[in-house]
Amino acid sequence: MDKVYESPEAAISDLADGASIAVSGFGQSAGSPMSLLEALHKRGSRDLCLVGNTIPPGAGPLIDERRVRHLIMSFTSRAGRLSATDELLADGVMTYELVAQGTLVERLRAAGAGLGAIYTPTGLNTPIADGKDIRYFDGRPYVLETALRVDYAFIAAHRADRSGNIEFRAANQHFGPSFAKAARVAIVEVDEIVEDGELPPERIDLPGIFVARVVRTTVPNTLPKYGLKRRPADVAREYHGKPGWTRVQIAEQAARLLPEPSYVNLGLGIPSYVSSFIKDRDIVLHGENGILGYGDIVDDEETYPDVFNATGVSVTPRPGISYFDSVTAFEMVRSGRVDVVVMGAYQADAEGSVANWATPEMTGGGIGGAMDLVASTQAGGSVMVLMEHCDSQGRPKLVQRCTYPLTGKACVDVVVTDLAVFRRRDGALTIESVAPGFTAEEVWALTDMEAHTPRT
């Protein structure tokens, strides 16, 4: 059963206008099927629905030419950045549905498994759950999410044989398996095609029964593979002429608070720097892209190809590291096997609620995996938030009640800002320690919540 096609153009020759296409890719461009996207652009297809974690870089021309009618994404917008996509969404030219990352892959997996829907704890008490059925199981609430079937899946992988068996490399598996299983026609572009039998069975990550077509990659991915350029991590923000902790120092403070032994998820941005302070401690780091047991950040993408964290930054593989898809990654979180989740935020409030996916200036937002991660608290996990004390406009990020759309309600246990470490006690945040040169009174004056002193 030879599934190899001569070119990306041949592989999509039957793709009709109005098709729904799940497109793989993590970070800025890791795992993006650039060859298939270019062939799609050349084909002139219109009225498309794109499904994915974030808008793939190769889809930019399709969006600019208004050939995409609908997006189903975990990220449609980024804070502080205005794109052509934002303008089209704001004008209603293109519509969208925001889906939490773990829910996205689970809806696609459900479609591939022949299921009609799933119930998940993700999204409770947030706008994502508005209007959806809520059911209780064992006394806990769950949100109904329907299966998500697509016409096509465009996926990038490392190697394939002629029967369509697929091998991904390291952490670049992420969305590939769930996207392929949900598709009527799954097309995979690969770096290398080998004869049947040349892929060791134990290295087949996606069996050929889920793959309809295979092509060789023809368009090199010349974009930065992992993430956008990071902000300076060693420059401190000043408050009243005094420097707080740098972003790296915030991460260092957080690392000291992590228990041992533990499994710890590190989210985007500041939390990613925590890995530099784990060293030989009995802590195993987890990333929702499908990685468990990584170490320090490395400065290049070639030392350890396709080994990257959830921020999309290259990291060191530690002894015992393992790789898997995003479905498995979120199973680890929602089941409570990850002990601590460390994430960034736009706001956190006195009752421990957190908002980190949308601000009033954004159209849509960037949910990513955060809602799935805070759902871990239902199974006994702990949530730690790392952020600067005020935003770029000088507005406090610690508030009495979140005014931005919630990611999770009353779920945060610890907050570390560039001015202080806070812990939730007696239903409110209390200060445990402050940055050098500051007093607790100065820190409280820079928040928008009532000061709280723990009981003695």
Side-chain angles (χ1 to χ4, degrees):
M1 192 179 294
D2 195 334
K3 297 183 178 180
V4 176
Y5 278 61
E6 62 183 15
S7 67
E9 290 77 14
I12 67 167
S13 61
D14 57 354
L15 190 150
D17 289 352
S20 57
I21 310 169
V23 183
S24 71
F26 201 96
Q28 184 169 353
S29 71
S32 290
M34 304 297 288
S35 308
L36 290 166
L37 288 169
E38 181 171 290
L40 181 65
H41 180 248
K42 290 179 180 177
R43 182 171 172 76
S45 302
R46 310 188 67 85
D47 197 32
L48 300 170
C49 170
L50 298 184
V51 179
N53 180 48
T54 188
I55 299 167
L62 295 168
I63 291 173
D64 292 342
E65 295 167 16
R66 302 192 175 193
R67 290 160 55 186
V68 177
R69 62 174 169 80
H70 189 61
L71 299 173
I72 303 176
M73 299 277 169
S74 296
F75 292 88
T76 61
S77 181
R78 306 270 184 167
R81 304 173 197 152
L82 184 63
S83 67
T85 301
D86 294 305
E87 295 177 1
L88 292 174
L89 294 175
D91 293 341
V93 174
M94 185 166 58
T95 57
Y96 68 94
E97 177 187 359
L98 277 173
V99 185
Q101 197 176 91
T103 299
L104 179 70
V105 292
E106 199 66 25
R107 288 177 65 190
L108 287 151
R109 184 208 62 81
L115 304 178
I118 52 126
Y119 277 99
T120 175
T122 300
L124 287 166
N125 302 306
T126 78
I128 298 302
D130 289 350
K132 295 176 181 175
D133 182 44
I134 307 293
R135 292 280 301 275
Y136 282 76
F137 300 93
D138 295 327
R140 294 179 177 176
Y142 293 81
V143 182
L144 176 70
E145 295 282 0
T146 57
L148 179 56
R149 296 171 177 81
V150 293
D151 298 315
Y152 291 81
F154 290 0
I155 297 162
H158 180 50
R159 189 179 287 119
D161 64 20
R162 289 190 168 274
S163 293
N165 295 307
I166 303 298
E167 178 188 359
F168 296 96
R169 185 168 63 181
N172 221 6
Q173 186 175 162
H174 41 82
F175 306 109
S178 60
F179 284 16
K181 292 172 185 178
R184 177 175 57 83
V185 178
I187 310 174
V188 184
E189 65 171 79
V190 295
D191 301 323
E192 180 184 359
I193 297 174
V194 300
E195 297 300 318
D196 288 351
E198 292 187 35
L199 279 184
E202 64 273 12
R203 282 169 54 183
I204 293 172
D205 300 305
L206 180 63
I209 194 170
F210 294 113
V211 177
R213 302 164 190 174
V214 173
V215 295
R216 280 287 301 269
T217 295
T218 57
V219 177
N221 188 347
T222 58
L223 295 169
K225 288 184 179 181
Y226 311 125
L228 300 167
K229 185 177 180 180
R230 300 192 299 273
R231 291 173 55 190
D234 56 355
V235 177
R237 178 174 287 179
E238 291 192 352
Y239 299 86
H240 303 313
K242 298 184 291 186
W245 285 316
T246 66
R247 293 161 68 86
V248 168
Q249 288 171 327
I250 294 172
E252 184 178 12
Q253 296 297 318
R256 293 172 181 166
L257 302 174
L258 295 175
E260 296 182 66
S262 63
Y263 291 101
V264 177
N265 174 279
L266 300 181
L268 280 66
I270 298 175
S272 66
Y273 297 110
V274 171
S275 65
S276 297
F277 301 100
I278 298 303
K279 300 190 184 300
D280 297 325
R281 296 180 62 191
D282 194 6
I283 294 172
V284 180
L285 298 180
H286 168 277
E288 57 264 36
N289 54 310
I291 185 170
L292 184 69
Y294 67 89
D296 291 358
I297 292 172
V298 294
D299 293 330
D300 65 86
E301 301 170 1
E302 304 306 325
T303 302
Y304 305 109
D306 292 328
V307 181
F308 55 95
N309 61 19
T311 296
V313 176
S314 296
V315 290
T316 304
R318 297 179 70 180
I321 194 170
S322 59
Y323 309 107
F324 34 87
D325 73 342
S326 289
V327 170
T328 302
F330 285 108
E331 288 173 346
M332 296 173 181
V333 173
R334 289 192 303 265
S335 65
R337 289 174 170 82
V338 172
D339 301 294
V340 184
V341 167
V342 185
M343 63 173 55
Y346 298 141
Q347 287 183 331
D349 70 20
E351 70 172 3
S353 296
V354 60
N356 76 347
W357 63 274
T359 67
E361 298 83 12
M362 297 168 67
T363 301
I367 293 176
M371 285 186 186
D372 303 277
L373 295 170
V374 299
S376 67
T377 59
Q378 277 207 30
S382 175
V383 175
M384 181 187 299
V385 165
L386 310 188
M387 62 185 184
E388 289 166 325
H389 205 81
C390 296
D391 67 16
S392 59
Q393 306 300 314
R395 297 171 295 196
K397 298 177 76 170
L398 280 169
V399 295
Q400 190 62 28
R401 286 291 179 268
C402 289
T403 57
Y404 297 166
L406 287 186
T407 301
K409 186 176 178 62
C411 58
V412 176
D413 301 291
V414 175
V415 176
V416 184
T417 76
D418 49 354
L419 293 183
V421 175
F422 299 79
R423 189 175 296 274
R424 185 158 59 114
R425 293 194 181 100
D426 301 325
L429 287 178
T430 61
I431 292 179
E432 280 197 347
S433 61
V434 297
F438 291 87
T439 66
E441 290 73 20
E442 288 176 306
V443 172
W444 282 123
L446 289 164
T447 70
D448 192 18
M449 66 169 62
E450 298 172 6
H452 184 81
T453 303
R455 295 175 183 171
T456 57

